Amino acid sequence: MTRGRLAPSPTGAQHLGNARTHLVAYWSTRHVGGELALRIDDLDSPRVKTWAIDQAIEDLRWLGIDWDSTIAKQTDHREHYQVAIDQLHQSNLIYPCYCSRKDIEEVISAPHETRFRGELPPYPKICAGYRYGDTIDDREHCFRFRARDEIIEFDDQMLGRQACNPAFELGDFPVVSRSGDASYQLAVLIDDQLQGVDQVVRGNDLVASTFRQMDIAKRLGIPSPTYAHVPLIRGLDGRRLAKRHGDTRLGYYRERGVRPETIVGWAAFTLGLIDTPEDCKASELTSHFDWSCLPTDDLCIDPQSLFDAG
Ligand code: GLU
C-alpha cells in the first residue's frame, strides 16, 4: 500500500504554496487508497517557532486534510539519525568541515554564481582530507558527506527522468550541522524510512536535495521512495512567495472569513483538476486526482486579488 506524507516545517506559518503541495500529497495518496503520515520537520532550531507547530496542524485540519497514525516529530528521531551517522563515519563517508561561508567564497572563483537548479557551486573540498574523529582545533564544525562521483537517476512523477552527478554538480554537503543535529538531508531520509513512506510529494525547489538524499540512501542501503516535485507558487515578479507579496498565511485567510473550500477549489483549479474555481471540500476531490492533469510550471499570482471572505 502506498504511504505518503505531509512534512510541514514550523519555521513560519503555512502559506498558500504549502497548502497546494499538501493537497497534492493528500489527494495523490488517498486516490490510490494509500495511507498518509504527518511529520513535523522541527529540527531546524533556532528557526523553528513553537507556535507554528500547532498552527500547521490546525491549518491542515482546516483544509480538510486528514492523516493516519500519530504525529511524528523529527526531534523524536535523534537516536535514529545517530545510528546513520555512525554508519557513515565507519565507512569514511563523512568528514569534519571547519570552513565558514567566507572561507568557501574565497576559494570559489564565482561564489554567487548558481549551478544545478539554482544551487551554489560545489564545496571546494578544503577539508575533504580530514576523517571523522580528526580534531583540528576547537572551532565549530559540521560534518560533510562525500558526494558520489557517479550519475544518479530517478523518474519523477511530475518532471520525468532526472539525472545528476552529485560530486560534480552539487558537491560534498553537510549531514551534521554545527549544532550537532542531523542536517535536513540526512534527517528526512531517515524520517521517511522510519515512517514507512514510499511516496514523497514536495516542492520542485527540492530536486537537488533529492539527489543528495538518494546518494546517502544508497550508501546506507535504504531504498529510495518515489518522488513527485510539484510546481511552486510565485508572486507576479516571479519570486518565491514571501512577505513582500502580502499576507498569504492560511491563518490570515481564516481570520478574514475565507472558507477552506474556497482555497481547496482554487488549488484544484490551478492544478488542472477541476474546470472552474468553485468551492470544494478536500475529500470530495480525491477521486478527481490525476497526475497527468498537473502543470509542471510554477504559478505566478497576485495573492491580494485572490479570495473574498465568505
Ligand atoms: N519540511 C519541508 C518543507 O516544508 C519538506 C521536506 C521534504 O519534503 O523533504 O518544505
Side-chain angles (χ1 to χ4, degrees):
M1 182 193 282
T2 297
R3 193 162 159 88
R5 45 90 142 167
L6 308 157
S9 289
T11 47
Q14 299 295 297
H15 56 62
L16 270 188
N18 303 125
R20 216 170 69 137
T21 305
H22 293 318
L23 284 164
V24 177
Y26 168 73
W27 285 323
S28 61
T29 308
R30 295 301 195 210
H31 180 68
V32 294
E35 288 181 349
L36 199 61
L38 170 58
R39 177 182 75 240
I40 305 294
D41 282 359
D42 62 345
L43 210 57
D44 189 7
S45 60
R47 292 176 63 229
V48 166
K49 322 259 185 321
T50 324
W51 58 262
I53 298 178
D54 289 341
Q55 197 170 89
I57 297 168
E58 192 183 337
D59 287 340
L60 287 166
R61 287 209 175 104
W62 181 71
L63 283 172
I65 293 177
D66 63 346
W67 52 89
D68 305 287
S69 66
T70 51
I71 302 172
K73 281 188 185 165
Q74 288 186 320
T75 43
D76 293 334
H77 292 167
R78 284 195 168 107
E79 64 192 79
H80 298 279
Y81 305 148
Q82 193 54 49
V83 172
I85 293 164
D86 290 345
Q87 202 178 326
L88 293 174
H89 106 69
Q90 275 151 21
S91 310
N92 188 29
L93 288 169
I94 57 177
Y95 60 87
C97 174
Y98 293 84
C99 295
S100 64
R101 187 169 300 188
K102 193 159 157 273
D103 296 333
I104 297 172
E105 286 182 355
E106 277 169 10
V107 176
I108 297 174
S109 52
H112 301 295
E113 176 196 330
T114 60
R115 299 258 186 104
F116 185 84
R117 296 187 73 104
E119 296 290 305
L120 293 173
Y123 169 67
K125 289 189 171 287
I126 301 163
C127 293
Y130 299 142
R131 293 175 70 97
Y132 191 95
D134 284 347
T135 315
I136 312 312
D137 56 32
D138 56 9
R139 266 181 303 160
E140 283 195 324
H141 54 274
C142 68
F143 286 93
R144 281 183 192 268
F145 177 80
R146 300 184 197 277
R148 185 187 294 245
D149 182 8
E150 183 184 294
I151 303 281
I152 293 186
E153 292 179 281
F154 69 97
D155 285 312
D156 189 277
Q157 185 72 54
M158 293 292 306
L159 306 173
R161 191 93 180 140
Q162 300 291 303
C164 170
N165 177 321
F168 183 66
E169 295 178 90
L170 303 172
D172 297 349
F173 56 90
V175 284
V176 181
S177 68
R178 285 167 174 242
S179 68
D181 258 330
S183 73
Y184 158 74
Q185 307 293 356
L186 178 66
V188 292
L189 173 71
I190 305 299
D191 299 330
D192 287 336
Q193 187 203 19
L194 285 171
Q195 294 187 274
V197 168
D198 59 7
Q199 173 179 284
V200 169
V201 174
R202 57 186 178 194
N204 65 18
D205 53 332
L206 289 171
V207 173
S209 292
T210 295
F211 288 110
R212 296 187 177 103
Q213 290 158 27
M214 289 181 74
D215 195 357
I216 311 173
K218 285 190 175 198
R219 301 291 196 162
L220 290 174
I222 296 175
S224 287
T226 62
Y227 289 98
H229 291 91
V230 299
L232 304 185
I233 308 283
R234 298 180 180 274
L236 290 181
D237 55 3
R239 293 165 78 184
R240 297 263 302 267
L241 218 49
K243 288 214 176 88
R244 76 179 81 89
H245 300 112
D247 205 338
T248 61
R249 291 174 304 124
L250 297 177
Y252 167 73
Y253 294 121
R254 188 160 61 234
E255 282 156 23
R256 282 182 52 216
V258 176
R259 301 174 67 218
E261 290 84 355
T262 305
I263 294 190
V264 169
W266 165 84
F269 173 67
T270 59
L271 289 165
L273 298 173
I274 53 175
D275 296 333
T276 45
E278 63 209 30
D279 287 11
C280 309
K281 280 193 191 323
S283 59
E284 285 166 5
L285 289 171
T286 300
S287 57
H288 288 57
F289 187 78
D290 181 352
W291 282 113
S292 69
C293 293
L294 267 55
T296 49
D297 288 340
D298 291 350
L299 176 69
C300 295
I301 57 162
D302 172 11
Q304 298 316 302
S305 64
L306 271 185
F307 306 117
D308 295 324

